[in-house]
Amino acid sequence: ARDGRDEIVIDSAGTAAWHVGKSPDRRSVAAAARRGITVAGAARQVEPADFDRFDLLLAADHENLVDLHAIAPDEERAAKAVLLRTFDPVAVAAGDLAVPDPYYGGEDGFDSVLDIVQAACEGLLTEHPQRPR
């Protein structure tokens, strides 16, 4: 990687099969594009093998965390699933660890969620600048 860190592989998947195969929401694509981020692909569901493929599985909220723990093949691998916002010290101090779902709101909800996710990811990179595979 250009910044001297190990390569970071990121994937996105849901804990339920509702949107499998569908494209990302146009509002999330637009909000990300305004920040120079490309969002593309098709939705998929988390599978037990993901717990072997990835060092961390980041959940948006408590319900998804419970679902990830249920999908995990065993307790050791279930420990790889954590709430994303646990890496944002401001969210931890406020006791607000859930990323809100912007789906039923307006365009600005997607921008707010990106702010939340960015803050948590910055904290994640600070806490785990290099994670060997």
Side-chain angles (χ1 to χ4, degrees):
R2 292 183 305 238
D3 62 3
R5 293 186 176 149
D6 290 338
E7 182 178 331
I8 298 173
V9 176
I10 301 170
D11 194 6
S12 177
T15 56
W18 299 323
H19 302 290
V20 168
K22 294 182 181 175
S23 298
D25 187 293
R26 64 166 181 76
R27 297 167 296 173
S28 66
V29 172
R34 287 192 290 275
R35 297 174 189 225
I37 301 168
T38 301
V39 174
R44 72 176 190 85
Q45 188 173 5
V46 174
E47 54 191 51
D50 289 332
F51 288 85
D52 292 322
R53 282 194 286 263
F54 299 103
D55 295 325
L56 286 173
L57 284 86
L58 303 169
D61 58 32
H62 294 281
E63 182 179 339
N64 284 294
L65 184 61
V66 168
D67 291 343
L68 285 172
H69 287 161
I71 295 167
D74 56 42
E75 284 188 36
E76 179 182 348
R77 287 179 275 191
K80 291 181 170 188
V82 297
L83 289 169
L84 171 63
R85 292 191 80 189
T86 60
F87 296 102
D88 178 356
V90 173
V92 171
D96 185 12
L97 298 181
V99 176
D101 184 350
Y103 187 79
Y104 293 105
E107 299 278 337
D108 60 339
F110 288 86
D111 288 307
S112 296
V113 165
L114 279 173
D115 290 339
I116 289 167
V117 169
Q118 182 173 343
C121 289
E122 288 172 0
L124 171 63
L125 290 174
T126 299
E127 187 169 324
H128 298 283
Q130 295 181 320
R131 291 187 57 98
R133 296 220 19 103

